[in-house]
Amino acid sequence: MIKDDLKGHFLNLYTLALSDNKFDDKELQMILTIGEEKGISRTEFEQIIINPTSFNIKYPSDFLSKIELLYDFTRLIWANQIVEDDERNAFMKFCEKFGFQKEESKELFEWLLTLAKNNTPSSNLETEISKLSN
């Protein structure tokens, strides 16, 4: 059984992918790839988006969970290897909701985009954060 937090993470990703009104196959493939990394099958993902009211969506409250969601969103943005202004703006709005300042949000986006371009798996995020603090 998938935890509600993980279901919420994927529903958030799906919503973010729709935010630019240009949901395409590459974004779907990236969501499914992220799902595989986190142990969620395509069928389970489909159940999440078909029945989104079956659980309470929670936005992440701890730092690492926020970064994980923002990173997965950045991976969705980069799925078609084009960064649209509306996608960048949506990212910045999420950063604001998570309590990040505008300048640090810009730096965070560029850092996460570099990780996405390098196909860094989500499971390596903690290691990448540790590298920054050293």
Side-chain angles (χ1 to χ4, degrees):
M1 163 127 359
I2 303 171
K3 292 182 179 180
D4 282 353
D5 290 349
L6 195 51
K7 287 179 184 179
H9 183 84
F10 279 88
L11 192 55
N12 285 332
L13 279 181
Y14 182 67
T15 303
L16 290 168
L18 294 173
S19 69
D20 66 353
N21 297 319
K22 297 175 193 166
F23 189 68
D24 63 31
D25 288 340
K26 291 178 183 175
E27 290 174 324
L28 176 59
Q29 283 309 117
M30 181 54 67
I31 289 175
L32 294 174
T33 297
I34 293 168
E36 285 177 24
E37 291 174 3
K38 297 181 185 296
I40 294 179
S41 70
R42 181 185 186 113
T43 303
E44 290 168 320
F45 170 70
E46 289 170 351
Q47 287 304 310
I48 292 169
I49 62 172
I50 288 170
N51 195 7
T53 59
S54 65
F55 59 95
N56 293 326
I57 299 175
K58 295 179 184 175
Y59 290 108
S61 58
D62 65 282
F63 178 77
L64 184 58
S65 296
K66 289 175 184 179
I67 298 300
E68 286 175 348
L69 179 59
L70 290 170
Y71 178 55
D72 287 343
F73 182 36
T74 305
R75 292 172 71 190
L76 282 177
I77 290 170
W78 186 244
N80 64 358
Q81 299 187 346
I82 299 168
V83 177
E84 304 281 347
D85 287 340
D86 51 352
E87 293 170 325
R88 185 184 300 266
N89 291 338
F91 179 92
M92 298 306 254
K93 286 179 184 175
F94 252 80
C95 284
E96 186 179 327
K97 284 184 180 185
F98 291 165
F100 293 107
Q101 300 298 315
K102 189 173 186 174
E103 279 307 308
E104 66 186 358
S105 297
K106 289 178 185 177
E107 290 176 21
L108 180 59
F109 181 76
E110 293 305 322
W111 177 67
L112 293 175
L113 184 59
T114 299
L115 295 178
K117 287 178 178 180
N118 292 329
N119 294 313
T120 304
S122 299
S123 59
N124 291 3
L125 261 180
E126 283 189 72
T127 303
E128 294 297 327
I129 291 169
S130 293
K131 287 179 187 177
L132 287 178
S133 62
N134 291 333

